[in-house]
Amino acid sequence: MVVGIDGSEEALAAVRWAAAIAAGRHRRLVLVHVVDDLLGYHRALPLRENMHEAMRERGHRLLGHARDAAREVAPDVEIATRLRWDTVPAVLLGEAASAALLVLGTPQLRPLGRILVGSVTTALAAHAPCPVAVVRTHTGEQAPPATGPVVVGVDGSAASEHAVELAFQEASWRGAPLVALHTWNDEFLAAVFAETGWELDRPEVEEHERELLAQRLAGWQEKYPDVTVHRLVTRGRPADRLLEQAESAQLLVVGSRGRGGFTGMVLGSTSQAVMAHARCPVIVARRGEPD
């Protein structure tokens, strides 16, 4: 399991979260700090040898703090630290190639629940060949919530199939119930039906959506009989409904690009929205499919 380290409190919270998981699943924890050498800027600075040495010492110091934070949570977990000189996306994408999970910390929610998810985080969630976890803590807390259900968004796409598989694994390991959420939006259909004079049978549509969700879960419920599954079918925007469920969840799992995504769009709008606003950790499920 790989965690990106930048010296922030958010990164340390991500380290603690990842360390607990690594210990429970007997995984090695790899802590990575990147000195971003974009465009050779650092090499152009005066006294560059001293500057490079200062950057190197700072990087090792930050990695040491992160290692100590991991030891507090999981004293027996195997930990490796790596200091790299390159751009952050290049290094972390390279580390993700052999990782089970890439973990990133993200800033706390601002007033009114607004936050800007950085371009690096978005790029990594879109392109990493492994699942990417985005971990946020609340003000005054050192760790994300450890209780509540695992929530997964299900839309029938290949991306959501990966998400369902990962969500069942997480729920089973955590001993938590799983909320499988499927949303449908009838605004477009209602508009078309209104123009043609037809009447939209919403109960019939909803029954169809319930059957669709049951089909997507059937095999996984048999594989994980220890997981209690709550099926939830609602109308509305998927991101809105997922964020509602995430308020009381310990983990939210989504696909990298859902059924409504555009061709070539490697990270869907729903995934971006929940990464930006969810109050619990979010895992964007990927399985190394080509972009």
Side-chain angles (χ1 to χ4, degrees):
M1 297 180 61
V2 175
V3 188
I5 305 301
D6 62 5
S8 67
E9 288 300 318
E10 291 80 12
L12 291 179
V15 167
R16 296 184 186 98
W17 185 83
I21 296 175
R25 303 181 194 185
H26 307 291
R27 294 278 188 181
R28 187 164 66 110
L29 192 63
V30 178
L31 309 178
V32 182
H33 176 69
V34 183
V35 180
D36 196 324
D37 207 21
L38 185 62
L39 301 180
Y41 172 73
H42 302 135
R43 291 191 293 274
L45 291 172
L47 304 176
R48 60 183 181 276
E49 294 302 327
N50 290 340
M51 182 68 70
H52 281 194
E53 183 60 29
M55 291 177 177
R56 184 177 295 106
E57 290 180 359
R58 177 179 182 273
H60 285 303
R61 185 170 64 253
L62 296 180
L63 287 169
H65 292 332
R67 183 177 56 241
D68 292 343
R71 292 286 186 218
E72 293 173 4
V73 176
D76 297 326
V77 73
E78 180 183 353
I79 301 175
T81 60
R82 296 175 184 171
L83 180 66
R84 296 286 188 262
W85 294 76
D86 204 333
T87 62
V88 174
V91 170
L92 293 182
L93 285 175
E95 295 288 347
S98 58
L101 184 68
L102 174 61
V103 183
L104 306 170
T106 194
Q108 298 172 356
L109 289 173
R110 297 173 181 171
L112 304 180
R114 295 175 181 170
I115 189 170
L116 292 177
V117 174
S119 58
V120 171
T121 301
T122 302
L124 290 169
H127 296 284
C130 69
V132 176
V134 179
V135 179
R136 174 180 295 119
T137 56
H138 302 181
T139 302
E141 297 180 356
Q142 282 196 332
T147 59
V150 173
V151 177
V152 61
V154 184
D155 67 8
S157 67
S160 82
E161 285 295 308
H162 299 337
V164 169
E165 178 181 6
L166 195 151
F168 267 97
Q169 293 173 357
E170 290 290 334
S172 178
W173 180 79
R174 296 164 185 268
L178 177 65
V179 175
L181 174 67
H182 174 68
T183 64
W184 60 284
N185 195 330
D186 64 351
E187 292 180 2
F188 175 74
L189 284 177
V192 172
F193 275 47
E195 291 181 4
T196 59
W198 299 340
E199 183 178 352
L200 179 62
D201 188 340
R202 287 188 173 88
E204 182 179 358
V205 174
E206 183 165 350
E207 181 59 30
H208 169 76
E209 300 300 328
R210 292 186 184 280
E211 292 176 0
L212 175 64
L213 178 59
Q215 292 170 7
R216 295 294 181 263
L217 298 177
W220 296 112
Q221 286 189 277
E222 295 173 359
K223 185 174 181 179
Y224 292 92
D226 59 313
V227 176
T228 300
V229 180
H230 302 286
R231 304 178 192 174
L232 185 59
V233 176
T234 63
R235 289 164 54 196
R237 292 180 65 248
D240 293 341
R241 299 297 174 257
L242 285 167
L243 288 171
E244 289 172 359
Q245 294 299 314
E247 285 294 315
S248 59
Q250 62 175 288
L251 181 67
L252 175 59
V253 184
V254 292
S256 58
R257 183 180 64 247
R259 191 170 55 185
F262 294 101
T263 301
M265 186 177 181
V266 294
L267 189 65
S269 59
T270 297
S271 303
Q272 293 190 55
V274 299
M275 285 170 56
H277 297 285
R279 296 172 62 85
C280 67
V282 176
I283 294 183
V284 180
R286 290 179 59 81
R287 191 183 280 169
E289 65 265 22
D291 293 336

